[in-house]
PDB file of all heavy atoms in Angstrom:
ATOM      1  N   THR B  61     156.110 312.206 103.496  1.00 97.00           N
ATOM      2  CA  THR B  61     155.827 310.717 103.894  1.00 97.00           C
ATOM      3  C   THR B  61     157.174 310.022 104.199  1.00 97.00           C
ATOM      4  O   THR B  61     158.227 310.531 103.974  1.00 97.00           O
ATOM      5  CB  THR B  61     155.186 310.021 102.671  1.00 97.00           C
ATOM      6  OG1 THR B  61     156.062 310.117 101.605  1.00 97.00           O
ATOM      7  CG2 THR B  61     153.908 310.694 102.343  1.00 97.00           C
ATOM      8  N   VAL B  63     158.836 307.508 102.728  1.00 98.00           N
ATOM      9  CA  VAL B  63     159.888 307.421 101.673  1.00 98.00           C
ATOM     10  C   VAL B  63     160.436 308.760 101.318  1.00 98.00           C
ATOM     11  O   VAL B  63     161.658 308.811 101.150  1.00 98.00           O
ATOM     12  CB  VAL B  63     159.232 307.049 100.311  1.00 98.00           C
ATOM     13  CG1 VAL B  63     160.157 306.077  99.532  1.00 98.00           C
ATOM     14  CG2 VAL B  63     157.876 306.416 100.490  1.00 98.00           C
ATOM     15  N   ARG B  64     159.638 309.761 101.359  1.00 98.00           N
ATOM     16  CA  ARG B  64     160.203 311.117 100.930  1.00 98.00           C
ATOM     17  C   ARG B  64     161.139 311.577 101.985  1.00 98.00           C
ATOM     18  O   ARG B  64     162.240 312.092 101.664  1.00 98.00           O
ATOM     19  CB  ARG B  64     159.005 312.117 100.874  1.00 98.00           C
ATOM     20  CG  ARG B  64     158.105 311.825  99.609  1.00 98.00           C
ATOM     21  CD  ARG B  64     156.861 312.618  99.684  1.00 98.00           C
ATOM     22  NE  ARG B  64     156.044 312.477  98.514  1.00 98.00           N
ATOM     23  CZ  ARG B  64     154.858 312.932  98.321  1.00 98.00           C
ATOM     24  NH1 ARG B  64     154.305 313.663  99.337  1.00 98.00           N
ATOM     25  NH2 ARG B  64     154.134 312.685  97.241  1.00 98.00           N
ATOM     26  N   GLN B  95     161.520 299.454  92.784  1.00 98.00           N
ATOM     27  CA  GLN B  95     161.398 299.755  91.343  1.00 98.00           C
ATOM     28  C   GLN B  95     161.689 301.185  91.130  1.00 98.00           C
ATOM     29  O   GLN B  95     161.381 301.998  92.020  1.00 98.00           O
ATOM     30  CB  GLN B  95     159.980 299.406  90.896  1.00 98.00           C
ATOM     31  CG  GLN B  95     159.615 297.917  91.010  1.00 98.00           C
ATOM     32  CD  GLN B  95     160.516 297.016  90.270  1.00 98.00           C
ATOM     33  OE1 GLN B  95     160.927 297.330  89.140  1.00 98.00           O
ATOM     34  NE2 GLN B  95     160.933 295.894  90.858  1.00 98.00           N
ATOM     35  N   ARG B 101     160.096 309.176  92.012  1.00 98.00           N
ATOM     36  CA  ARG B 101     158.948 309.937  92.567  1.00 98.00           C
ATOM     37  C   ARG B 101     159.347 310.759  93.752  1.00 98.00           C
ATOM     38  O   ARG B 101     159.005 311.976  93.897  1.00 98.00           O
ATOM     39  CB  ARG B 101     157.785 309.026  92.891  1.00 98.00           C
ATOM     40  CG  ARG B 101     156.984 308.734  91.583  1.00 98.00           C
ATOM     41  CD  ARG B 101     155.669 308.139  91.912  1.00 98.00           C
ATOM     42  NE  ARG B 101     155.695 306.806  92.456  1.00 98.00           N
ATOM     43  CZ  ARG B 101     155.069 305.806  91.814  1.00 98.00           C
ATOM     44  NH1 ARG B 101     154.422 305.951  90.763  1.00 98.00           N
ATOM     45  NH2 ARG B 101     155.177 304.603  92.373  1.00 98.00           N
TER      46      ARG B 101
ATOM     47  P    DC D  22     150.587 313.182  97.664  1.00 61.34           P
ATOM     48  OP1  DC D  22     151.021 314.186  98.590  1.00 61.34           O
ATOM     49  OP2  DC D  22     150.790 313.409  96.162  1.00 61.34           O
ATOM     50  O5'  DC D  22     151.178 311.798  98.083  1.00 61.34           O
ATOM     51  C5'  DC D  22     150.639 311.187  99.216  1.00 61.34           C
ATOM     52  C4'  DC D  22     150.881 309.709  99.129  1.00 61.34           C
ATOM     53  O4'  DC D  22     149.894 309.069  98.312  1.00 61.34           O
ATOM     54  C3'  DC D  22     152.243 309.305  98.602  1.00 61.34           C
ATOM     55  O3'  DC D  22     152.985 308.669  99.596  1.00 61.34           O
ATOM     56  C2'  DC D  22     151.930 308.372  97.428  1.00 61.34           C
ATOM     57  C1'  DC D  22     150.483 307.952  97.651  1.00 61.34           C
ATOM     58  N1   DC D  22     149.606 307.594  96.518  1.00 61.34           N
ATOM     59  C2   DC D  22     149.118 306.272  96.436  1.00 61.34           C
ATOM     60  O2   DC D  22     149.400 305.472  97.371  1.00 61.34           O
ATOM     61  N3   DC D  22     148.372 305.915  95.373  1.00 61.34           N
ATOM     62  C4   DC D  22     148.089 306.823  94.464  1.00 61.34           C
ATOM     63  N4   DC D  22     147.352 306.461  93.432  1.00 61.34           N
ATOM     64  C5   DC D  22     148.594 308.158  94.492  1.00 61.34           C
ATOM     65  C6   DC D  22     149.351 308.437  95.609  1.00 61.34           C
ATOM     66  P    DT D  23     154.474 308.087  99.308  1.00 61.34           P
ATOM     67  OP1  DT D  23     155.167 308.054 100.618  1.00 61.34           O
ATOM     68  OP2  DT D  23     155.019 308.808  98.163  1.00 61.34           O
ATOM     69  O5'  DT D  23     154.224 306.583  98.858  1.00 61.34           O
ATOM     70  C5'  DT D  23     153.814 305.589  99.790  1.00 61.34           C
ATOM     71  C4'  DT D  23     153.514 304.303  99.097  1.00 61.34           C
ATOM     72  O4'  DT D  23     152.565 304.506  98.083  1.00 61.34           O
ATOM     73  C3'  DT D  23     154.783 303.655  98.469  1.00 61.34           C
ATOM     74  O3'  DT D  23     155.104 302.552  99.139  1.00 61.34           O
ATOM     75  C2'  DT D  23     154.332 303.415  96.986  1.00 61.34           C
ATOM     76  C1'  DT D  23     152.868 303.597  96.994  1.00 61.34           C
ATOM     77  N1   DT D  23     152.309 304.101  95.826  1.00 61.34           N
ATOM     78  C2   DT D  23     151.378 303.303  95.152  1.00 61.34           C
ATOM     79  O2   DT D  23     151.069 302.129  95.433  1.00 61.34           O
ATOM     80  N3   DT D  23     150.796 303.887  93.989  1.00 61.34           N
ATOM     81  C4   DT D  23     151.087 305.122  93.526  1.00 61.34           C
ATOM     82  O4   DT D  23     150.553 305.562  92.477  1.00 61.34           O
ATOM     83  C5   DT D  23     152.053 305.965  94.249  1.00 61.34           C
ATOM     84  C7   DT D  23     152.413 307.335  93.868  1.00 61.34           C
ATOM     85  C6   DT D  23     152.533 305.408  95.385  1.00 61.34           C
ATOM     86  P    DG D  24     156.407 301.801  98.827  1.00 61.34           P
ATOM     87  OP1  DG D  24     156.801 300.946  99.990  1.00 61.34           O
ATOM     88  OP2  DG D  24     157.456 302.684  98.262  1.00 61.34           O
ATOM     89  O5'  DG D  24     156.010 300.702  97.673  1.00 61.34           O
ATOM     90  C5'  DG D  24     155.034 299.749  98.008  1.00 61.34           C
ATOM     91  C4'  DG D  24     154.582 299.013  96.732  1.00 61.34           C
ATOM     92  O4'  DG D  24     153.804 300.024  95.874  1.00 61.34           O
ATOM     93  C3'  DG D  24     155.796 298.608  95.888  1.00 61.34           C
ATOM     94  O3'  DG D  24     156.023 297.219  95.908  1.00 61.34           O
ATOM     95  C2'  DG D  24     155.341 299.001  94.426  1.00 61.34           C
ATOM     96  C1'  DG D  24     153.962 299.573  94.626  1.00 61.34           C
ATOM     97  N9   DG D  24     153.757 300.728  93.646  1.00 61.34           N
ATOM     98  C8   DG D  24     154.285 302.026  93.876  1.00 61.34           C
ATOM     99  N7   DG D  24     153.968 302.850  92.970  1.00 61.34           N
ATOM    100  C5   DG D  24     153.075 302.132  92.097  1.00 61.34           C
ATOM    101  C6   DG D  24     152.469 302.437  90.953  1.00 61.34           C
ATOM    102  O6   DG D  24     152.513 303.564  90.386  1.00 61.34           O
ATOM    103  N1   DG D  24     151.766 301.331  90.379  1.00 61.34           N
ATOM    104  C2   DG D  24     151.747 300.123  90.927  1.00 61.34           C
ATOM    105  N2   DG D  24     150.999 299.216  90.238  1.00 61.34           N
ATOM    106  N3   DG D  24     152.328 299.794  92.047  1.00 61.34           N
ATOM    107  C4   DG D  24     153.024 300.823  92.562  1.00 61.34           C
ATOM    108  P    DT D  25     157.108 296.615  95.068  1.00 61.34           P
ATOM    109  OP1  DT D  25     157.536 295.306  95.731  1.00 61.34           O
ATOM    110  OP2  DT D  25     158.175 297.582  94.831  1.00 61.34           O
ATOM    111  O5'  DT D  25     156.431 296.259  93.725  1.00 61.34           O
ATOM    112  C5'  DT D  25     155.196 295.551  93.757  1.00 61.34           C
ATOM    113  C4'  DT D  25     154.716 295.277  92.291  1.00 61.34           C
ATOM    114  O4'  DT D  25     154.220 296.541  91.667  1.00 61.34           O
ATOM    115  C3'  DT D  25     155.949 294.817  91.366  1.00 61.34           C
ATOM    116  O3'  DT D  25     155.686 293.607  90.764  1.00 61.34           O
ATOM    117  C2'  DT D  25     156.014 295.977  90.274  1.00 61.34           C
ATOM    118  C1'  DT D  25     154.660 296.684  90.345  1.00 61.34           C
ATOM    119  N1   DT D  25     154.899 298.104  90.100  1.00 61.34           N
ATOM    120  C2   DT D  25     154.195 298.709  89.036  1.00 61.34           C
ATOM    121  O2   DT D  25     153.553 298.065  88.233  1.00 61.34           O
ATOM    122  N3   DT D  25     154.510 300.007  88.859  1.00 61.34           N
ATOM    123  C4   DT D  25     155.305 300.852  89.585  1.00 61.34           C
ATOM    124  O4   DT D  25     155.396 302.024  89.378  1.00 61.34           O
ATOM    125  C5   DT D  25     155.913 300.225  90.722  1.00 61.34           C
ATOM    126  C7   DT D  25     156.763 300.970  91.682  1.00 61.34           C
ATOM    127  C6   DT D  25     155.651 298.863  90.900  1.00 61.34           C
ATOM    128  P    DT D  26     156.781 292.976  89.830  1.00 61.34           P
ATOM    129  OP1  DT D  26     156.764 291.525  90.050  1.00 61.34           O
ATOM    130  OP2  DT D  26     158.047 293.647  90.036  1.00 61.34           O
ATOM    131  O5'  DT D  26     156.292 293.330  88.330  1.00 61.34           O
ATOM    132  C5'  DT D  26     154.919 293.014  88.003  1.00 61.34           C
ATOM    133  C4'  DT D  26     154.693 293.533  86.520  1.00 61.34           C
ATOM    134  O4'  DT D  26     154.660 294.891  86.517  1.00 61.34           O
ATOM    135  C3'  DT D  26     155.821 293.115  85.599  1.00 61.34           C
ATOM    136  O3'  DT D  26     155.205 292.491  84.415  1.00 61.34           O
ATOM    137  C2'  DT D  26     156.545 294.327  85.287  1.00 61.34           C
ATOM    138  C1'  DT D  26     155.431 295.418  85.435  1.00 61.34           C
ATOM    139  N1   DT D  26     156.017 296.680  85.855  1.00 61.34           N
ATOM    140  C2   DT D  26     155.670 297.853  85.154  1.00 61.34           C
ATOM    141  O2   DT D  26     154.959 297.855  84.285  1.00 61.34           O
ATOM    142  N3   DT D  26     156.177 298.986  85.687  1.00 61.34           N
ATOM    143  C4   DT D  26     156.999 299.185  86.645  1.00 61.34           C
ATOM    144  O4   DT D  26     157.471 300.248  87.043  1.00 61.34           O
ATOM    145  C5   DT D  26     157.479 297.947  87.417  1.00 61.34           C
ATOM    146  C7   DT D  26     158.326 297.878  88.629  1.00 61.34           C
ATOM    147  C6   DT D  26     156.868 296.776  86.952  1.00 61.34           C
TER     148       DT D  26
END
Side-chain angles (χ1 to χ4, degrees):
Chain B
T61 60
V63 217
R64 291 170 177 174
Q95 299 301 318
R101 280 197 287 238

